[in-house]
Amino acid sequence: MALLDELAEALATEVMEAQKELGPKADRLFMEVGNHIGTSSPSFQEAFMTACRLHMAADRGREFFEARLKALKET
């Protein structure tokens, strides 16, 4: 379902940006939004949560890659 994925990705992007901007006090905002979504659409909730997990994994992967690349260049 293209619409489901598009809407979930758009919302996940906004939520992830808000979490980064707000810092530790909003580190579980995506869970709150996901739980709220789940009351009306479990399918949308799952797509949203998947998109959020992908964003977080990509961020962690990028951080590791950049740190590792820097370390390799320094040796």
Side-chain angles (χ1 to χ4, degrees), residues 27-72:
D27 67 346
R28 303 305 277 175
L29 179 60
F30 79 100
M31 293 295 296
E32 294 176 45
V33 174
N35 289 337
H36 187 74
I37 291 168
T39 63
S40 59
S41 177
S43 298
F44 186 65
Q45 178 189 32
E46 184 56 35
F48 168 77
M49 295 301 288
T50 297
C52 289
R53 288 190 296 272
L54 289 171
H55 277 272
M56 290 184 288
D59 288 346
R60 284 193 301 270
R62 172 129 338 258
E63 289 170 7
F64 173 80
F65 169 67
E66 290 173 355
R68 184 71 178 119
L69 187 59
K70 181 180 177 185
L72 289 169

Side-chain angles (χ1 to χ4, degrees), residues 9-21:
E9 174 59 29
L11 182 57
T13 297
E14 288 184 50
V15 171
M16 294 291 103
E17 288 174 0
Q19 280 190 194
K20 287 178 188 174
E21 181 181 321

